[in-house]
Amino acid sequence: MLGAQKWKEGGVVARTRGITIRDVARKAGVSITAVSHALNGKGTLSEATREHIRTVADQMGYEADALARGLRRSTMGAVGLVLRSLDALGDYAPAGVDVFERFVGAAASQALARNLSLMLVPDLTRKPVPPLAFSLDGYIVTNPHVDDPVIALLEDRSIPYVAYGRPPGRPEFTHWVSEDDTASARQILGHLWAGGARDTVLVRGTDPNAWNLEHQEVYVSWCSERGVTPRLYELAEGAGVDGGVDLAGRIADDGVPDAVFCLTGRHAAGVQRGLMARGVRVPEDTMVVAGSDSEHARNSRPAISALELNPVESSAALLDVLQDLIAGRTPTSPRLTKARFRARASTRR
Amino acid sequence: MLGAQKWKEGGVVARTRGITIRDVARKAGVSITAVSHALNGKGTLSEATREHIRTVADQMGYEADALARGLRRSTMGAVGLVLRSLDALGDYAPAGVDVFERFVGAAASQALARNLSLMLVPDLTRKPVPPLAFSLDGYIVTNPHVDDPVIALLEDRSIPYVAYGRPPGRPEFTHWVSEDDTASARQILGHLWAGGARDTVLVRGTDPNAWNLEHQEVYVSWCSERGVTPRLYELAEGAGVDGGVDLAGRIADDGVPDAVFCLTGRHAAGVQRGLMARGVRVPEDTMVVAGSDSEHARNSRPAISALELNPVESSAALLDVLQDLIAGRTPTSPRLTKARFRARASTRR
DNA sequence: GTGAAAGCGCTAACAC
DNA sequence: GTGTTAGCGCTTTCAC
């Protein structure tokens, strides 16, 4: 391997340095400027030189060092992903929760398609700060909550960022992408209504993010439009299925409802199980719906109707907006993506 | 904010540069060398100067620029994660496959605990290579297969890496961590044998990784030790549940077995469903086991006995080994972690 | 005990 | 059109 060398430095095995721009310049018989310009499509070079340099570089397998380039250009080709919901949960691998992990997967492959690297960065405000955190070109922040310190930090440093789920209490901020929660919530509530439900319970999480807040808002308006009394329960996201089972007891004690709309799949699975354990029949006595699909919802018996989020389209939109922001262009945002409601046995009457 | 400035460069909004080592040096009335030494515990400085510099740096909120530091020291505080199984699948967010997603989550939180950032890198051998790919301190490669080109590339560049699941055909390579597949497989086969199974089928995937190869090996030896004829089926990982359903037909045609041991949860769920559709009773006629737990296994009816992998312990071990490697220490490896067998209704006789 | 200076690999003024 | 050169922020050698 040309130009490769290995060495030790203070006990740290340094990586093999690859081929440098200098190696290419020497081989191609030009200056390093020429190489830089040729490869970045800048400056004024004859097409012949350009082509020649490109060929040589290709042959040698030259890849520009991202660090050196970043140091100079202050743009890295890498963006960070902060999952605020998981930060809040304090658990980056909660059992049976696949929405976030699916989002990570989708975001990674969408980033790939744009030749961007995606870096998972844990809560930026906690010390010690991950070293690369402030060198990244921008951030995707999922489900920021009210007065989110991560967002405050990014703004303070003027690092571009986009939010998945609008940052609550920031009407002036537009760089967000979300599934159309309002439309989906109304679709679900309408579906339940059509199934005969007149007494529908909403179970939301405790995190003060747009997901929880907007759903609550829509639910309350929807109830008041129809003159029915809202029945709202809050259950910590971290409580999971077991929390749902417990909550089912409370709900039933308050009066068995016609339908329960849980914002998370785990809560829905737990509530359904808890209700059934008390002899409530699903869907005959009570219908159950989850606001976000998951294996829990799919594989409960009866299978729970749920909203299938759209991580692929959403992460694509987020990256588009973020790239515009990074490039100094004005992005078209906010953007709403379309989730898809999956009616299953739990609401089939 | 001290030393902060914003500027445009070729239409690109550059990130706000933070406080530099120079700012700290000026404020503390020392040279930049002194600052560097004080903050990194190197050189020979009086404890007084050291302390003074640390205080000033803290006050100013100085954070060393990871890029500049990396360029000089070539260690970044970030590691890459390559999921070879998903590369093979060509899908980074396959529905219902949660082993990898759980592993990503676990690896992320373990990395967090070590102040490392985690970058998801798809197949490194495919162009274009993500910019930071070759600047990372090291890699975790999950389920490398025989003659894996990603491993060849990392070795060529002498980038430290560890494997989750031993690289097949590389007996001399020891930097790997794995659940103890051999022990688990024997435990499962023993469990089935104890349940009366004398004709157990193994369904493995087609990817030539250690997971598939070692299980097959154990299965074949185990059969020969007991003088029973092995019945081995291969099914592409990507075939999922539906592939399992189809395969159930073939298996039944060849003779309904006493038990089926599928290496993936999706295959197990499919095979069970396919068998039951043909009137085979589970577990009465045939027991079904999955080699890796998943929501599919848990939520099938009857629930499928499965091996619960240990992504948290495994990723912790992987990062330990990788950090040793990066630091030039000799790691204790390979390391085996303990998976846990969950007996469920599908094998309860 | 301390600091000046070289240089990591790259980009972009600015000279030629 | 092409090349020389000055840094980006940091670590480290080596003079003082």
Side-chain angles (χ1 to χ4, degrees), chain B residues 136-193:
Chain B
L136 299 174
D137 296 339
Y139 273 88
I140 298 176
V141 181
T142 71
N143 301 300
H145 56 72
V146 175
D147 296 328
D148 201 310
V150 167
I151 286 197
L153 178 62
L154 292 172
E155 300 213 320
D156 187 43
R157 299 228 173 205
S158 45
I159 295 173
Y161 71 94
V162 292
Y164 181 40
R166 84 182 292 165
R170 302 285 309 278
E172 81 293 354
F173 179 83
T174 60
H175 303 143
W176 54 269
V177 172
S178 176
E179 273 94 6
D180 189 345
D181 298 341
T182 303
S184 310
R186 288 191 168 267
Q187 182 183 1
I188 289 174
L189 291 167
H191 173 77
L192 296 172
W193 185 270

Short mmCIF file of all heavy atoms in Angstrom, two decimals, chain B residues 136-193:
data_model
loop_
_atom_site.label_atom_id
_atom_site.label_comp_id
_atom_site.label_asym_id
_atom_site.label_seq_id
_atom_site.Cartn_x
_atom_site.Cartn_y
_atom_site.Cartn_z
N LEU B 136 -12.14 6.98 11.96
CA LEU B 136 -12.62 6.47 13.25
C LEU B 136 -11.52 5.68 13.93
O LEU B 136 -10.58 5.18 13.30
CB LEU B 136 -13.85 5.60 13.03
CG LEU B 136 -15.03 6.35 12.39
CD1 LEU B 136 -16.16 5.39 12.09
CD2 LEU B 136 -15.51 7.47 13.30
N ASP B 137 -11.64 5.59 15.24
CA ASP B 137 -10.61 4.91 16.02
C ASP B 137 -10.63 3.41 15.84
O ASP B 137 -9.61 2.74 16.01
CB ASP B 137 -10.80 5.22 17.51
CG ASP B 137 -10.60 6.68 17.81
OD1 ASP B 137 -9.95 7.35 16.99
OD2 ASP B 137 -11.09 7.14 18.84
N GLY B 138 -11.78 2.88 15.54
CA GLY B 138 -11.87 1.44 15.40
C GLY B 138 -13.28 1.04 15.00
O GLY B 138 -14.15 1.88 14.83
N TYR B 139 -13.46 -0.25 14.82
CA TYR B 139 -14.74 -0.75 14.35
C TYR B 139 -15.24 -1.96 15.12
O TYR B 139 -14.44 -2.79 15.57
CB TYR B 139 -14.63 -1.15 12.88
CG TYR B 139 -14.87 0.00 11.94
CD1 TYR B 139 -13.83 0.83 11.54
CD2 TYR B 139 -16.15 0.27 11.47
CE1 TYR B 139 -14.06 1.90 10.70
CE2 TYR B 139 -16.38 1.34 10.62
CZ TYR B 139 -15.34 2.15 10.23
OH TYR B 139 -15.58 3.20 9.40
N ILE B 140 -16.54 -2.03 15.22
CA ILE B 140 -17.20 -3.27 15.61
C ILE B 140 -17.85 -3.82 14.35
O ILE B 140 -18.61 -3.11 13.69
CB ILE B 140 -18.30 -3.02 16.67
CG1 ILE B 140 -17.70 -2.44 17.94
CG2 ILE B 140 -19.06 -4.30 16.96
CD1 ILE B 140 -18.74 -2.07 18.98
N VAL B 141 -17.52 -5.03 14.01
CA VAL B 141 -18.12 -5.67 12.84
C VAL B 141 -18.96 -6.83 13.34
O VAL B 141 -18.43 -7.76 13.95
CB VAL B 141 -17.04 -6.20 11.87
CG1 VAL B 141 -17.69 -6.83 10.65
CG2 VAL B 141 -16.10 -5.08 11.46
N THR B 142 -20.26 -6.77 13.10
CA THR B 142 -21.09 -7.87 13.59
C THR B 142 -21.27 -8.93 12.52
O THR B 142 -21.44 -8.63 11.34
CB THR B 142 -22.49 -7.40 14.02
OG1 THR B 142 -23.23 -7.04 12.86
CG2 THR B 142 -22.40 -6.19 14.94
N ASN B 143 -21.21 -10.19 12.93
CA ASN B 143 -21.44 -11.33 12.06
C ASN B 143 -20.68 -11.28 10.73
O ASN B 143 -21.29 -11.39 9.67
CB ASN B 143 -22.93 -11.48 11.76
CG ASN B 143 -23.74 -11.67 13.01
OD1 ASN B 143 -23.53 -12.62 13.75
ND2 ASN B 143 -24.64 -10.75 13.29
N PRO B 144 -19.38 -11.12 10.79
CA PRO B 144 -18.61 -11.15 9.55
C PRO B 144 -18.75 -12.54 8.94
O PRO B 144 -18.94 -13.52 9.66
CB PRO B 144 -17.18 -10.92 10.02
CG PRO B 144 -17.16 -11.39 11.43
CD PRO B 144 -18.50 -11.05 11.98
N HIS B 145 -18.70 -12.57 7.63
CA HIS B 145 -18.81 -13.89 7.01
C HIS B 145 -17.47 -14.36 6.49
O HIS B 145 -16.44 -13.70 6.68
CB HIS B 145 -19.93 -13.94 5.97
CG HIS B 145 -19.80 -12.92 4.88
ND1 HIS B 145 -18.86 -13.00 3.91
CD2 HIS B 145 -20.53 -11.81 4.64
CE1 HIS B 145 -19.01 -11.99 3.09
NE2 HIS B 145 -20.00 -11.24 3.51
N VAL B 146 -17.48 -15.53 5.88
CA VAL B 146 -16.24 -16.10 5.36
C VAL B 146 -15.62 -15.13 4.35
O VAL B 146 -16.32 -14.60 3.49
CB VAL B 146 -16.54 -17.46 4.67
CG1 VAL B 146 -15.29 -18.00 4.01
CG2 VAL B 146 -17.09 -18.44 5.70
N ASP B 147 -14.31 -14.89 4.45
CA ASP B 147 -13.62 -13.99 3.53
C ASP B 147 -14.27 -12.63 3.43
O ASP B 147 -14.42 -12.08 2.33
CB ASP B 147 -13.57 -14.60 2.11
CG ASP B 147 -12.75 -15.88 2.10
OD1 ASP B 147 -11.78 -15.97 2.89
OD2 ASP B 147 -13.08 -16.77 1.31
N ASP B 148 -14.66 -12.10 4.56
CA ASP B 148 -15.41 -10.84 4.53
C ASP B 148 -14.53 -9.69 4.03
O ASP B 148 -13.49 -9.39 4.60
CB ASP B 148 -15.93 -10.54 5.94
CG ASP B 148 -17.09 -9.57 5.91
OD1 ASP B 148 -16.96 -8.52 5.27
OD2 ASP B 148 -18.12 -9.89 6.52
N PRO B 149 -14.96 -9.02 2.96
CA PRO B 149 -14.16 -7.93 2.39
C PRO B 149 -14.03 -6.73 3.33
O PRO B 149 -13.03 -6.00 3.26
CB PRO B 149 -14.93 -7.53 1.13
CG PRO B 149 -16.30 -8.06 1.31
CD PRO B 149 -16.19 -9.26 2.18
N VAL B 150 -15.00 -6.53 4.18
CA VAL B 150 -14.91 -5.41 5.12
C VAL B 150 -13.74 -5.65 6.07
O VAL B 150 -12.95 -4.74 6.37
CB VAL B 150 -16.22 -5.24 5.91
CG1 VAL B 150 -16.02 -4.31 7.10
CG2 VAL B 150 -17.32 -4.70 5.01
N ILE B 151 -13.60 -6.87 6.53
CA ILE B 151 -12.49 -7.19 7.42
C ILE B 151 -11.16 -7.08 6.68
O ILE B 151 -10.17 -6.57 7.23
CB ILE B 151 -12.72 -8.59 8.01
CG1 ILE B 151 -13.83 -8.49 9.06
CG2 ILE B 151 -11.44 -9.16 8.59
CD1 ILE B 151 -13.92 -9.62 10.00
N ALA B 152 -11.15 -7.51 5.44
CA ALA B 152 -9.93 -7.39 4.64
C ALA B 152 -9.52 -5.93 4.54
O ALA B 152 -8.35 -5.58 4.72
CB ALA B 152 -10.16 -7.99 3.26
N LEU B 153 -10.50 -5.07 4.30
CA LEU B 153 -10.23 -3.65 4.16
C LEU B 153 -9.67 -3.05 5.45
O LEU B 153 -8.69 -2.30 5.45
CB LEU B 153 -11.52 -2.92 3.76
CG LEU B 153 -11.42 -1.40 3.62
CD1 LEU B 153 -10.44 -1.06 2.51
CD2 LEU B 153 -12.77 -0.79 3.34
N LEU B 154 -10.31 -3.39 6.57
CA LEU B 154 -9.86 -2.86 7.85
C LEU B 154 -8.44 -3.32 8.15
O LEU B 154 -7.61 -2.54 8.65
CB LEU B 154 -10.82 -3.29 8.96
CG LEU B 154 -12.21 -2.67 8.91
CD1 LEU B 154 -13.13 -3.30 9.94
CD2 LEU B 154 -12.14 -1.17 9.10
N GLU B 155 -8.14 -4.56 7.84
CA GLU B 155 -6.80 -5.06 8.09
C GLU B 155 -5.79 -4.37 7.18
O GLU B 155 -4.69 -4.01 7.60
CB GLU B 155 -6.76 -6.57 7.86
CG GLU B 155 -7.72 -7.29 8.79
CD GLU B 155 -7.24 -8.65 9.21
OE1 GLU B 155 -6.68 -9.37 8.35
OE2 GLU B 155 -7.42 -9.00 10.39
N ASP B 156 -6.18 -4.19 5.94
CA ASP B 156 -5.32 -3.53 4.99
C ASP B 156 -4.94 -2.14 5.48
O ASP B 156 -3.78 -1.71 5.36
CB ASP B 156 -6.05 -3.43 3.64
CG ASP B 156 -5.14 -2.90 2.55
OD1 ASP B 156 -3.98 -3.35 2.51
OD2 ASP B 156 -5.59 -2.05 1.77
N ARG B 157 -5.91 -1.45 6.06
CA ARG B 157 -5.64 -0.10 6.58
C ARG B 157 -5.14 -0.14 8.02
O ARG B 157 -5.01 0.91 8.64
CB ARG B 157 -6.92 0.72 6.54
CG ARG B 157 -7.49 0.89 5.16
CD ARG B 157 -7.84 2.34 4.95
NE ARG B 157 -8.24 2.59 3.59
CZ ARG B 157 -8.14 3.76 2.99
NH1 ARG B 157 -7.63 4.78 3.64
NH2 ARG B 157 -8.54 3.92 1.76
N SER B 158 -4.97 -1.30 8.53
CA SER B 158 -4.67 -1.52 9.95
C SER B 158 -5.48 -0.64 10.89
O SER B 158 -4.95 0.03 11.76
CB SER B 158 -3.16 -1.47 10.26
OG SER B 158 -2.53 -0.39 9.63
N ILE B 159 -6.77 -0.68 10.67
CA ILE B 159 -7.71 -0.04 11.59
C ILE B 159 -8.15 -1.11 12.58
O ILE B 159 -8.56 -2.20 12.18
CB ILE B 159 -8.94 0.50 10.82
CG1 ILE B 159 -8.50 1.62 9.86
CG2 ILE B 159 -10.00 1.00 11.79
CD1 ILE B 159 -9.60 2.11 8.95
N PRO B 160 -8.03 -0.85 13.87
CA PRO B 160 -8.40 -1.86 14.86
C PRO B 160 -9.89 -2.22 14.73
O PRO B 160 -10.71 -1.34 14.49
CB PRO B 160 -8.15 -1.15 16.20
CG PRO B 160 -7.36 0.06 15.91
CD PRO B 160 -7.61 0.42 14.48
N TYR B 161 -10.19 -3.46 14.90
CA TYR B 161 -11.60 -3.85 14.89
C TYR B 161 -11.82 -5.08 15.75
O TYR B 161 -10.90 -5.84 16.02
CB TYR B 161 -12.07 -4.15 13.45
CG TYR B 161 -11.49 -5.42 12.87
CD1 TYR B 161 -12.18 -6.63 12.96
CD2 TYR B 161 -10.25 -5.41 12.26
CE1 TYR B 161 -11.63 -7.79 12.44
CE2 TYR B 161 -9.69 -6.56 11.75
CZ TYR B 161 -10.40 -7.76 11.84
OH TYR B 161 -9.85 -8.90 11.34
N VAL B 162 -13.04 -5.20 16.20
CA VAL B 162 -13.45 -6.40 16.91
C VAL B 162 -14.68 -6.96 16.22
O VAL B 162 -15.41 -6.23 15.54
CB VAL B 162 -13.82 -6.09 18.38
CG1 VAL B 162 -12.58 -5.68 19.16
CG2 VAL B 162 -14.88 -5.00 18.48
N ALA B 163 -14.86 -8.25 16.35
CA ALA B 163 -15.99 -8.89 15.68
C ALA B 163 -16.98 -9.42 16.71
O ALA B 163 -16.59 -9.94 17.75
CB ALA B 163 -15.49 -10.03 14.79
N TYR B 164 -18.24 -9.24 16.39
CA TYR B 164 -19.30 -9.84 17.20
C TYR B 164 -19.69 -11.12 16.47
O TYR B 164 -20.31 -11.07 15.41
CB TYR B 164 -20.47 -8.88 17.30
CG TYR B 164 -21.63 -9.36 18.13
CD1 TYR B 164 -21.44 -10.06 19.31
CD2 TYR B 164 -22.95 -9.09 17.75
CE1 TYR B 164 -22.52 -10.48 20.08
CE2 TYR B 164 -24.03 -9.49 18.51
CZ TYR B 164 -23.80 -10.19 19.67
OH TYR B 164 -24.87 -10.61 20.43
N GLY B 165 -19.27 -12.23 17.01
CA GLY B 165 -19.35 -13.49 16.28
C GLY B 165 -18.02 -13.71 15.59
O GLY B 165 -17.58 -12.84 14.83
N ARG B 166 -17.37 -14.80 15.86
CA ARG B 166 -16.01 -14.97 15.34
C ARG B 166 -15.99 -15.02 13.82
O ARG B 166 -16.88 -15.57 13.19
CB ARG B 166 -15.36 -16.22 15.94
CG ARG B 166 -15.68 -17.52 15.25
CD ARG B 166 -15.02 -18.69 15.95
NE ARG B 166 -13.58 -18.67 15.84
CZ ARG B 166 -12.77 -19.41 16.59
NH1 ARG B 166 -13.28 -20.21 17.51
NH2 ARG B 166 -11.48 -19.35 16.42
N PRO B 167 -14.98 -14.40 13.22
CA PRO B 167 -14.85 -14.44 11.77
C PRO B 167 -14.52 -15.86 11.34
O PRO B 167 -13.50 -16.41 11.76
CB PRO B 167 -13.68 -13.49 11.49
CG PRO B 167 -13.49 -12.70 12.74
CD PRO B 167 -13.93 -13.59 13.86
N PRO B 168 -15.36 -16.47 10.55
CA PRO B 168 -15.15 -17.88 10.18
C PRO B 168 -13.87 -18.01 9.36
O PRO B 168 -13.52 -17.12 8.59
CB PRO B 168 -16.37 -18.21 9.31
CG PRO B 168 -17.33 -17.09 9.50
CD PRO B 168 -16.54 -15.90 9.90
N GLY B 169 -13.21 -19.13 9.54
CA GLY B 169 -12.01 -19.42 8.77
C GLY B 169 -10.82 -18.58 9.19
O GLY B 169 -9.87 -18.42 8.41
N ARG B 170 -10.85 -17.99 10.38
CA ARG B 170 -9.73 -17.17 10.84
C ARG B 170 -9.33 -17.61 12.24
O ARG B 170 -9.47 -16.85 13.20
CB ARG B 170 -10.15 -15.68 10.89
CG ARG B 170 -10.63 -15.11 9.57
CD ARG B 170 -9.46 -14.88 8.64
NE ARG B 170 -8.44 -14.12 9.33
CZ ARG B 170 -8.44 -12.81 9.47
NH1 ARG B 170 -9.40 -12.09 8.96
NH2 ARG B 170 -7.47 -12.21 10.12
N PRO B 171 -8.83 -18.84 12.37
CA PRO B 171 -8.54 -19.37 13.72
C PRO B 171 -7.54 -18.52 14.49
O PRO B 171 -7.58 -18.51 15.72
CB PRO B 171 -7.98 -20.77 13.44
CG PRO B 171 -7.58 -20.76 12.02
CD PRO B 171 -8.47 -19.80 11.32
N GLU B 172 -6.66 -17.82 13.80
CA GLU B 172 -5.63 -17.05 14.50
C GLU B 172 -6.16 -15.72 15.04
O GLU B 172 -5.53 -15.09 15.88
CB GLU B 172 -4.44 -16.79 13.56
CG GLU B 172 -4.61 -15.63 12.57
CD GLU B 172 -5.68 -15.86 11.51
OE1 GLU B 172 -6.25 -16.99 11.45
OE2 GLU B 172 -5.99 -14.93 10.74
N PHE B 173 -7.29 -15.28 14.55
CA PHE B 173 -7.85 -14.00 14.99
C PHE B 173 -8.64 -14.19 16.28
O PHE B 173 -9.52 -15.03 16.36
CB PHE B 173 -8.75 -13.44 13.90
CG PHE B 173 -9.39 -12.13 14.27
CD1 PHE B 173 -8.71 -10.95 14.10
CD2 PHE B 173 -10.68 -12.10 14.80
CE1 PHE B 173 -9.29 -9.74 14.45
CE2 PHE B 173 -11.27 -10.90 15.16
CZ PHE B 173 -10.57 -9.71 14.98
N THR B 174 -8.28 -13.41 17.29
CA THR B 174 -8.91 -13.64 18.60
C THR B 174 -9.75 -12.48 19.11
O THR B 174 -10.38 -12.59 20.16
CB THR B 174 -7.83 -13.93 19.66
OG1 THR B 174 -6.96 -12.79 19.74
CG2 THR B 174 -7.02 -15.16 19.32
N HIS B 175 -9.76 -11.38 18.38
CA HIS B 175 -10.47 -10.21 18.91
C HIS B 175 -11.95 -10.25 18.62
O HIS B 175 -12.49 -9.37 17.94
CB HIS B 175 -9.84 -8.92 18.35
CG HIS B 175 -8.38 -8.81 18.67
ND1 HIS B 175 -7.47 -8.28 17.80
CD2 HIS B 175 -7.68 -9.21 19.73
CE1 HIS B 175 -6.26 -8.34 18.32
NE2 HIS B 175 -6.36 -8.90 19.50
N TRP B 176 -12.57 -11.26 19.16
CA TRP B 176 -14.01 -11.35 18.94
C TRP B 176 -14.73 -11.68 20.23
O TRP B 176 -14.14 -12.16 21.20
CB TRP B 176 -14.34 -12.38 17.86
CG TRP B 176 -13.75 -13.74 18.08
CD1 TRP B 176 -12.54 -14.19 17.64
CD2 TRP B 176 -14.35 -14.84 18.79
NE1 TRP B 176 -12.34 -15.49 18.02
CE2 TRP B 176 -13.45 -15.92 18.73
CE3 TRP B 176 -15.57 -15.02 19.45
CZ2 TRP B 176 -13.70 -17.15 19.32
CZ3 TRP B 176 -15.84 -16.25 20.03
CH2 TRP B 176 -14.91 -17.31 19.97
N VAL B 177 -16.00 -11.38 20.21
CA VAL B 177 -16.87 -11.65 21.34
C VAL B 177 -18.10 -12.34 20.77
O VAL B 177 -18.51 -12.03 19.66
CB VAL B 177 -17.30 -10.32 22.02
CG1 VAL B 177 -18.36 -10.57 23.07
CG2 VAL B 177 -16.08 -9.62 22.63
N SER B 178 -18.62 -13.25 21.51
CA SER B 178 -19.81 -13.93 21.02
C SER B 178 -20.57 -14.53 22.18
O SER B 178 -20.00 -14.80 23.23
CB SER B 178 -19.42 -15.04 20.04
OG SER B 178 -20.56 -15.75 19.63
N GLU B 179 -21.86 -14.69 22.01
CA GLU B 179 -22.55 -15.53 22.95
C GLU B 179 -22.00 -16.94 22.73
O GLU B 179 -21.50 -17.27 21.66
CB GLU B 179 -24.06 -15.52 22.68
CG GLU B 179 -24.78 -14.39 23.39
CD GLU B 179 -24.93 -13.17 22.50
OE1 GLU B 179 -24.57 -13.27 21.31
OE2 GLU B 179 -25.40 -12.12 22.99
N ASP B 180 -22.07 -17.76 23.74
CA ASP B 180 -21.52 -19.11 23.61
C ASP B 180 -22.48 -19.99 22.81
O ASP B 180 -23.28 -20.73 23.37
CB ASP B 180 -21.28 -19.68 25.01
CG ASP B 180 -20.51 -20.98 24.95
OD1 ASP B 180 -20.41 -21.58 23.86
OD2 ASP B 180 -20.00 -21.40 26.00
N ASP B 181 -22.37 -19.89 21.51
CA ASP B 181 -23.31 -20.57 20.62
C ASP B 181 -23.30 -22.08 20.80
O ASP B 181 -24.34 -22.73 20.75
CB ASP B 181 -22.99 -20.25 19.15
CG ASP B 181 -23.13 -18.77 18.86
OD1 ASP B 181 -23.81 -18.08 19.64
OD2 ASP B 181 -22.57 -18.31 17.85
N THR B 182 -22.11 -22.61 20.98
CA THR B 182 -22.00 -24.06 21.12
C THR B 182 -22.76 -24.54 22.36
O THR B 182 -23.59 -25.46 22.28
CB THR B 182 -20.53 -24.48 21.25
OG1 THR B 182 -19.83 -23.99 20.09
CG2 THR B 182 -20.39 -25.98 21.33
N ALA B 183 -22.50 -23.89 23.47
CA ALA B 183 -23.19 -24.27 24.70
C ALA B 183 -24.70 -24.11 24.56
O ALA B 183 -25.47 -25.00 24.94
CB ALA B 183 -22.68 -23.43 25.87
N SER B 184 -25.11 -22.98 23.98
CA SER B 184 -26.55 -22.72 23.84
C SER B 184 -27.20 -23.77 22.94
O SER B 184 -28.28 -24.28 23.24
CB SER B 184 -26.79 -21.36 23.20
OG SER B 184 -26.05 -20.38 23.85
N ALA B 185 -26.53 -24.06 21.85
CA ALA B 185 -27.10 -25.02 20.90
C ALA B 185 -27.28 -26.38 21.58
O ALA B 185 -28.31 -27.04 21.44
CB ALA B 185 -26.20 -25.15 19.68
N ARG B 186 -26.27 -26.77 22.34
CA ARG B 186 -26.37 -28.06 23.03
C ARG B 186 -27.47 -28.03 24.08
O ARG B 186 -28.18 -29.02 24.28
CB ARG B 186 -25.03 -28.43 23.67
CG ARG B 186 -24.00 -28.81 22.62
CD ARG B 186 -22.75 -29.43 23.19
NE ARG B 186 -21.99 -30.01 22.11
CZ ARG B 186 -22.10 -31.29 21.73
NH1 ARG B 186 -22.90 -32.11 22.37
NH2 ARG B 186 -21.40 -31.73 20.70
N GLN B 187 -27.60 -26.88 24.72
CA GLN B 187 -28.67 -26.77 25.72
C GLN B 187 -30.05 -26.92 25.07
O GLN B 187 -30.91 -27.64 25.56
CB GLN B 187 -28.58 -25.40 26.40
CG GLN B 187 -29.62 -25.21 27.50
CD GLN B 187 -29.56 -23.83 28.13
OE1 GLN B 187 -28.76 -22.99 27.74
NE2 GLN B 187 -30.41 -23.60 29.12
N ILE B 188 -30.19 -26.27 23.93
CA ILE B 188 -31.47 -26.34 23.23
C ILE B 188 -31.74 -27.74 22.72
O ILE B 188 -32.83 -28.30 22.91
CB ILE B 188 -31.49 -25.32 22.07
CG1 ILE B 188 -31.57 -23.91 22.64
CG2 ILE B 188 -32.64 -25.61 21.12
CD1 ILE B 188 -31.46 -22.81 21.60
N LEU B 189 -30.72 -28.34 22.10
CA LEU B 189 -30.90 -29.70 21.58
C LEU B 189 -31.20 -30.66 22.73
O LEU B 189 -32.04 -31.56 22.60
CB LEU B 189 -29.65 -30.13 20.80
CG LEU B 189 -29.46 -29.36 19.48
CD1 LEU B 189 -28.05 -29.59 18.91
CD2 LEU B 189 -30.52 -29.77 18.46
N GLY B 190 -30.54 -30.45 23.86
CA GLY B 190 -30.78 -31.28 25.04
C GLY B 190 -32.21 -31.12 25.55
O GLY B 190 -32.87 -32.10 25.92
N HIS B 191 -32.66 -29.88 25.53
CA HIS B 191 -34.02 -29.58 25.97
C HIS B 191 -35.05 -30.30 25.10
O HIS B 191 -36.01 -30.89 25.60
CB HIS B 191 -34.20 -28.06 25.89
CG HIS B 191 -35.60 -27.57 26.15
ND1 HIS B 191 -36.13 -27.48 27.41
CD2 HIS B 191 -36.57 -27.13 25.31
CE1 HIS B 191 -37.37 -27.01 27.34
NE2 HIS B 191 -37.66 -26.79 26.07
N LEU B 192 -34.79 -30.29 23.81
CA LEU B 192 -35.71 -30.96 22.89
C LEU B 192 -35.65 -32.47 23.10
O LEU B 192 -36.68 -33.17 23.09
CB LEU B 192 -35.37 -30.59 21.44
CG LEU B 192 -35.53 -29.11 21.08
CD1 LEU B 192 -34.99 -28.82 19.69
CD2 LEU B 192 -37.01 -28.70 21.17
N TRP B 193 -34.44 -32.97 23.25
CA TRP B 193 -34.23 -34.41 23.47
C TRP B 193 -34.98 -34.85 24.74
O TRP B 193 -35.68 -35.87 24.75
CB TRP B 193 -32.74 -34.69 23.61
CG TRP B 193 -32.37 -36.13 23.73
CD1 TRP B 193 -32.26 -36.86 24.87
CD2 TRP B 193 -32.07 -37.04 22.66
NE1 TRP B 193 -31.90 -38.16 24.60
CE2 TRP B 193 -31.78 -38.29 23.24
CE3 TRP B 193 -32.03 -36.90 21.26
CZ2 TRP B 193 -31.44 -39.43 22.48
CZ3 TRP B 193 -31.69 -38.03 20.51
CH2 TRP B 193 -31.40 -39.27 21.11
#
